Amino acid sequence: MKTCQSVLSIALFILLCQHLVAADINKHEGYVLGKCLERYGGPSYENAERLKRFKDWSIDYEELPCFTNCYLANMYDFYNETDGFSEQKVIDKFGASVYEVCKPKFSEGKDKCETAYKGFHCLVNLENDPFVVIDGMDNIDMDAKLAMKDCLHRFDRSEWQLFGEYSRFPVKEPIPCYSRCFLDKLQLFNHRLHKWDIRGLNTKLNISVENANTSACEAMAVKRNRNICAWMYREFTCYAMASIAKEELKK
């Protein structure tokens, strides 16, 4: 039984796009999963594989009928069988942009099971959509959002799924040359003077480095080479992290 629970837990971890706090299911979640899968043979490898493909299920066909309604109603407070999806609680968990896109799905369906499935299927498929994520960035201006979206269209759709990795500030850029694309569009680096537009970083991207420790970022300039995309990404990331560190010190 422990093996089945572990497999199912991993599948649901993927399904919920990291909304579960850990890969090991707790006692309550184990109970809910068992309850909601009971009519389908309970926790099993086959059911775990089905749930792992949740995002790929047809929007009009829930492969485990009524599972979503049962699971959401027993696990989360953003949905209940009487009132359906709670606007504020969905926004708190998934963001306002995702809520607005999926809102029509929250009232679709001939019954609560179909409504729960269509609504949640929309949420998990859009939660990490890069264009929705960009729309939800409250602190950057419209020009920056348009530049970021336009640059995404220059890359293959298969690379869009890597957009979420930027929030982890990896050493190597997830989508090579993407940062250079939108930074150049916004004219945030003067290639003739070899200087960053510090004021522009603040006004367009809300990256404020005034009074921040940017000595490490400035020192990177001596390591610039022909790979412009790589060093622009590294330096830009450094300034972004310096801005975050400054704000953290204020708390």
Side-chain angles (χ1 to χ4, degrees):
M1 184 63 175
K2 185 176 181 181
T3 301
C4 289
Q5 287 183 340
S6 297
V7 172
L8 185 56
S9 175
I10 293 170
L12 286 172
F13 184 85
I14 296 172
L15 157 66
L16 298 177
C17 299
Q18 299 181 340
H19 280 303
L20 301 183
V21 297
D24 294 323
I25 58 179
N26 57 40
K27 185 176 180 180
H28 174 65
E29 186 180 354
Y31 167 77
V32 171
L33 290 173
K35 174 183 177 181
C36 297
L37 289 171
E38 186 175 11
R39 61 191 292 194
Y40 303 108
S44 66
Y45 178 81
E46 289 74 18
N47 283 334
E49 286 298 301
R50 279 182 172 181
L51 292 172
K52 189 176 180 179
R53 294 185 292 97
F54 184 86
K55 284 187 174 185
D56 299 323
W57 291 4
S58 167
I59 186 60
D60 297 314
Y61 177 67
E62 184 177 18
E63 293 188 20
L64 297 172
C66 229
F67 169 82
T68 305
N69 174 69
C70 176
Y71 187 79
L72 294 184
N74 286 279
M75 279 299 299
Y76 295 101
D77 64 355
F78 62 78
Y79 173 86
N80 67 66
E81 294 182 289
T82 302
D83 302 317
F85 291 91
S86 163
E87 176 179 352
Q88 189 55 55
K89 290 178 179 177
V90 168
I91 290 174
D92 290 343
K93 198 165 191 68
F94 295 91
S97 297
V98 174
Y99 174 82
E100 288 301 324
V101 174
C102 292
K103 185 177 180 179
K105 299 295 181 183
F106 299 155
S107 57
E108 282 188 14
K110 61 180 182 295
D111 54 37
K112 61 186 179 183
C113 292
E114 192 171 303
T115 298
Y117 171 66
K118 287 191 173 184
F120 190 58
H121 190 270
C122 179
L123 288 174
V124 297
N125 272 283
L126 278 182
E127 182 188 21
N128 294 318
D129 180 277
F131 296 95
V132 174
V133 172
I134 291 170
D135 277 333
M137 294 178 177
D138 298 327
N139 297 321
I140 68 174
D141 74 2
M142 187 56 67
D143 287 341
K145 291 183 179 182
L146 291 174
M148 294 172 79
K149 289 180 180 180
D150 182 63
C151 285
L152 269 178
H153 283 296
R154 301 187 180 194
F155 295 88
D156 190 270
R157 290 180 65 92
S158 63
E159 294 186 273
W160 293 359
Q161 63 183 330
L162 301 173
F163 185 81
E165 295 183 18
Y166 280 90
S167 63
R168 303 185 184 94
F169 301 110
V171 175
K172 186 176 180 180
E173 184 169 22
I175 306 175
C177 284
Y178 173 66
S179 293
R180 180 190 178 184
C181 178
F182 73 80
L183 290 170
D184 280 348
K185 273 183 170 292
L186 296 171
Q187 299 181 341
L188 293 177
F189 184 82
N190 188 316
H191 289 276
R192 182 175 63 84
L193 299 177
H194 310 290
K195 290 178 60 177
W196 287 95
D197 179 359
I198 299 301
R199 183 174 180 276
L201 287 173
N202 185 14
T203 58
K204 293 185 179 297
L205 296 174
N206 195 38
I207 295 176
S208 174
V209 294
E210 184 179 357
N211 299 322
N213 184 1
T214 59
S215 57
C217 310
E218 294 158 5
M220 288 182 174
V222 299
K223 297 182 180 180
R224 292 172 183 169
N225 53 31
R226 293 183 179 180
N227 191 344
I228 301 176
C229 293
W231 62 254
M232 281 189 71
Y233 167 72
R234 285 196 299 268
E235 292 183 26
F236 170 66
T237 299
C238 184
Y239 282 114
M241 293 178 71
S243 175
I244 293 172
K246 184 187 76 170
E247 295 304 316
E248 288 296 320
L249 288 174
K250 292 181 179 179
K251 296 180 180 179

